[in-house]
Amino acid sequence: MRRDLAGLLTSDVRLHAFALRAALALVPLTLVIAFGLLGTGPVPARNWLGELLGYDFSQVWLAGRAALEGRAATPYDLQAHLAAQAAVFGADADRFAWHYPPVFLLPAALLGLMPYGAAFPLWMLLTLGLFVLALRQATDSRDAVLIACAHPLVLCNLAYGQNGLLTAGLLTLGALLIDRRPVLAGVLLACVAYKPQLAALAPALLLVTGRWRALAAFAAGLTGLCALSVLAFGLAPWQAFLGTLAETNRLALREAWSGLDINASAFGAVRLLGGPLAAAWAAQVAVALLAIGTAWRVWASGAPLTLRAAALLAAAPLVSPYVPLYDLAPLVPASALLAIEAHRRGGLNGAERALLIASPLASAALRTVAGATGLSLGLALALATLGLVAARALPRTERDPIPSPGPSPIPSPVPSGTGIL
């Protein structure tokens, strides 16, 4: 066993074989837990454990129903929204504030057309499907897709009905299409507008690297989504949304309603350690500038598309002061893209191999470790991923030449369906 475990740290072949065997067991288990145990139940809107189906999704469906009934601004009234949750789903459901921009009311209203018991599994299928499609486009490897779907962050998003897989899928597809189909890429990146704190980095990179067609498409897509939401629901939701920004700051950041252990940002890491707000904001600004600067250098360096996409995916969560653990999902395709590019250049180095091993292990215990130790593994994981992407992408100086790659431990070229993850 010791030899086998040691081999994971030194051999791409052994790491790939072990990860694939683990995924073949974990992916079916993930689907059974998400769609069976947690996604259905004998009582309407309750799973087999007696808990609410998709705790976080419940407010999306409820906001969609309100929009369909001509009350699209109601979800932004905290007390009215909490009361509606309690009235529809029970007293244990009145704990979520609605902070999304009104563009998210568009898909919410479509889901609200269906009974809750049908809307929740459909949401899971759609977001997981987009995530799988993005990974397939990123890696061209069935193995890589399977291994990525075994990641704990996938189950986290499915279990709670969150939108991290949707965010990861849109960012991945947008970044991968930026050269070949810039207009479609810009539109896909604009669709992340429901999470503006995660969408903000993409247009900044398009601007500083002069990708004008993609940037114009992003602006047009964003304008179109905003206009469509106004046509569908009027101006009242936008007025209410803008009026709740201060409340969002209070609940999410100052008072940490969701818990200090769930926020994986630099801001959250300092607060988790007991630091004051001023120190938390200083740390957040420093990390955000570091992430933006690193991603810009990668995009401006002429790095391969895979590494540019990975840099965007890894840096996007670092820019935001509020990063719930499920919003770390873009790190999964970022790691996959890093591994694919490493294979093309002769194999993983030691640090990259350690990241691929540590990522799922750390992600399975993010909140537990944060609560027990006050340490933010989520922030460390995001920083490590971006750092290794940059190390692989950026050119070295003459005093630090690129070592000659040894023979690849995996036959090359890789046929479709046989990834190295």
Side-chain angles (χ1 to χ4, degrees):
M1 182 180 293
R2 284 195 300 269
R3 286 195 301 269
D4 288 342
L5 292 176
L8 300 181
L9 295 173
T10 58
S11 168
D12 288 5
V13 173
R14 288 195 177 189
L15 178 58
H16 171 260
F18 177 83
L20 184 58
R21 285 196 300 269
L24 288 172
L26 289 174
V27 169
L29 180 61
T30 294
L31 296 178
V32 168
I33 292 174
F35 288 90
L37 182 64
L38 302 180
T40 60
V43 178
R46 296 279 163 172
N47 62 33
W48 288 96
L49 299 178
E51 301 168 342
L52 180 64
L53 287 177
Y55 268 109
D56 293 2
F57 176 76
S58 63
Q59 66 158 338
V60 176
W61 182 86
L62 196 63
R65 296 285 290 186
L68 291 172
E69 295 168 0
R71 299 181 291 105
T74 301
Y76 298 98
D77 182 331
L78 179 59
Q79 296 307 317
H81 188 55
L82 293 176
Q85 292 175 58
V88 175
F89 296 111
D92 60 339
D94 61 340
R95 60 177 188 172
F96 299 109
W98 178 261
H99 301 303
Y100 291 102
V103 295
F104 201 44
L105 289 173
L106 295 168
L110 293 176
L111 292 163
L113 292 171
M114 293 174 282
Y116 188 76
F120 176 51
L122 177 62
W123 172 254
M124 289 196 294
L125 282 171
L126 291 175
T127 55
L128 179 61
L130 182 66
F131 183 73
V132 168
L133 173 64
L135 283 167
R136 182 66 177 178
Q137 292 295 312
T139 65
D140 192 27
S141 165
R142 289 188 296 271
D143 287 2
V145 172
L146 185 66
I147 292 168
C149 286
H151 200 284
L153 289 173
V154 174
L155 176 58
C156 172
N157 274 276
L158 292 177
Y160 288 97
Q162 262 299 339
N163 47 41
L165 299 182
L166 178 64
T167 303
L170 290 171
L171 288 175
T172 301
L173 289 173
L176 291 174
L177 291 170
I178 203 70
D179 291 340
R180 293 186 293 113
R181 302 188 66 180
V183 173
L184 178 57
V187 172
L188 288 171
L189 294 172
C191 288
V192 190
Y194 62 89
K195 280 283 178 75
Q197 70 272 26
L198 297 180
L201 179 60
L205 291 178
L206 298 179
L207 176 65
V208 298
T209 58
R211 299 176 184 276
W212 307 119
R213 290 183 64 195
L215 184 60
F218 180 95
L222 179 60
T223 302
L225 286 172
C226 294
L228 188 58
S229 72
V230 172
L231 287 174
F233 310 119
L235 286 172
W238 280 102
Q239 294 169 340
F241 166 69
L242 294 174
T244 61
L245 291 180
E247 185 178 65
T248 297
N249 174 67
R250 176 179 66 85
L251 295 177
L253 298 178
R254 296 181 65 89
E255 298 182 7
W257 260 31
S258 299
L260 290 172
D261 55 350
I262 199 175
N263 187 1
S265 69
F267 180 95
V270 173
R271 295 289 287 155
L272 185 63
L273 289 171
L277 285 171
W281 277 116
Q284 181 58 47
V285 170
V287 169
L289 291 175
L290 174 65
I292 294 169
T294 302
W296 170 74
R297 286 190 63 199
V298 172
W299 275 58
S301 69
L305 177 63
T306 51
L307 293 178
R308 280 184 277 135
L312 170 61
L313 290 162
L318 291 168
V319 174
S320 171
Y322 184 61
V323 186
L325 302 180
Y326 46 78
D327 276 344
L328 293 174
L331 299 182
V332 179
S335 299
L337 288 163
L338 173 62
I340 291 296
E341 187 59 33
H343 171 66
R344 291 172 180 165
R345 300 191 188 189
L348 298 163
N349 61 39
E352 292 164 344
R353 196 176 294 111
L355 173 69
L356 294 180
I357 295 171
S359 177
L361 296 176
S363 297
L366 290 175
R367 196 164 190 181
T368 301
V369 172
T373 68
L375 299 178
S376 178
L377 289 184
L379 175 63
L381 185 59
L383 287 169
T385 304
L386 180 59
L388 290 177
V389 169
R392 175 68 69 170
L394 297 176
R396 304 181 182 215
T397 65
E398 292 183 0
R399 291 180 296 175
D400 185 21
I402 299 175
S404 299
S408 172
I410 300 176
S412 184
V414 182
S416 177
T418 57
I420 60 99
L421 289 185

